Amino acid sequence: IRAYEETLKYAKNKGLLTIADVKRNDIGTTAEAYAQSYLGEVEIYGAEDDFTLPIFDADSLTINPYLGWDGVKPFVDESKKYGKCVFVLVKTSNKTSGDLQDLELKDGRTVYDVVGHLVDSWGADEIGESGYNFVGAVVGATYPEQARQLRKIMPNTIFLVPGYGAQGGTAEDIKVCFNKDGLGAVVNNSRGIIFAYEAMKMPEDAYGEAAKIAVGNMIKDLGY
């Protein structure tokens, strides 16, 4: 936890935006505590005068919608209060995501369709100058057809796109995650950068150089 906290601070000092991939949620009161610790400020007791301060202070985080609105609302409220962002799991990149997310309901829609509509409604009142809101969606690069459908459902939603690289998602796969303006998606590549030194057969102490090369290759692959 200390390493996580220090990494967030280091990234902020470098002017980077941070996404805490914690996939948090719980019932209302516990969700409030999680939301305050990751996005807002927490009351500190025991001092001469009680006060509040940020704990982890991430710019955004991933959350699980399985508990419904009362488990999501605290994160949305803290995001709105402190200018942060949440990314709701909608169609995840893992192989067995369809066990639940692809289930077909009585009206013919899938579970991920319904969650997509909910995410769209949760952020509908907070459209910013660029046409997007602060309630984002996690949509995996490994399921481009589902991503295409979800982009139609959520035109004003920023997609956080895992699954590129090590999980098999390609630059071609993720095109559907962007809007026609070329915006609306953040592409994640974790193992492909963190462990690039292994793929490049470089020594461990050259991980930084390997990561830099991997980032350059990703930028070129995505056409930026």
Side-chain angles (χ1 to χ4, degrees), residues 53-98:
L53 81 168
I55 301 300
F56 296 122
D57 199 21
D59 294 300
S60 59
L61 81 163
T62 56
I63 61 173
N64 189 327
Y66 200 73
L67 280 78
W69 175 239
D70 67 353
V72 171
K73 185 178 184 295
F75 296 98
V76 173
D77 288 344
E78 291 297 299
S79 295
K80 185 175 181 179
K81 183 177 179 180
Y82 292 98
K84 304 294 183 71
C85 175
V86 292
F87 291 100
V88 183
L89 303 182
V90 179
K91 178 58 185 172
T92 56
S93 59
N94 56 305
K95 292 181 179 179
T96 62
S97 65

Side-chain angles (χ1 to χ4, degrees), residues 3-156:
Y4 167 69
E5 183 180 2
E6 290 179 353
T7 301
L8 283 172
K9 290 179 180 178
Y10 179 85
K12 279 186 173 294
N13 287 335
K14 293 296 182 180
L16 301 174
L17 293 174
T18 56
I19 303 172
D21 188 17
V22 294
K23 301 179 176 70
R24 279 282 184 258
N25 209 315
D26 212 304
I27 62 169
T29 53
T30 310
E32 287 178 12
Y34 280 136
Q36 290 167 0
S37 65
Y38 283 101
L39 298 172
E41 296 185 347
V42 175
E43 292 185 12
I44 303 299
Y45 299 101
E48 186 172 329
D49 294 310
D50 293 339
F51 61 96
T52 63
L53 81 168
I55 301 300
F56 296 122
D57 199 21
D59 294 300
S60 59
L61 81 163
T62 56
I63 61 173
N64 189 327
Y66 200 73
L67 280 78
W69 175 239
D70 67 353
V72 171
K73 185 178 184 295
F75 296 98
V76 173
D77 288 344
E78 291 297 299
S79 295
K80 185 175 181 179
K81 183 177 179 180
Y82 292 98
K84 304 294 183 71
C85 175
V86 292
F87 291 100
V88 183
L89 303 182
V90 179
K91 178 58 185 172
T92 56
S93 59
N94 56 305
K95 292 181 179 179
T96 62
S97 65
D99 290 354
L100 288 175
Q101 296 164 16
D102 292 5
L103 291 177
E104 191 171 306
L105 307 178
K106 288 182 179 180
D107 62 3
R109 295 185 299 170
T110 61
V111 170
Y112 69 78
D113 282 330
V114 173
V115 177
H117 281 289
L118 287 172
V119 170
D120 183 63
S121 69
W122 291 337
D125 296 331
E126 299 295 337
I127 306 297
E129 293 180 3
S130 298
Y132 297 93
N133 59 66
F134 64 79
V135 182
V138 177
V139 179
T142 46
Y143 298 102
E145 288 308 310
Q146 290 89 332
R148 186 192 309 275
Q149 183 176 343
L150 287 166
R151 177 44 80 194
K152 293 178 182 177
I153 294 172
M154 298 179 285
N156 304 112

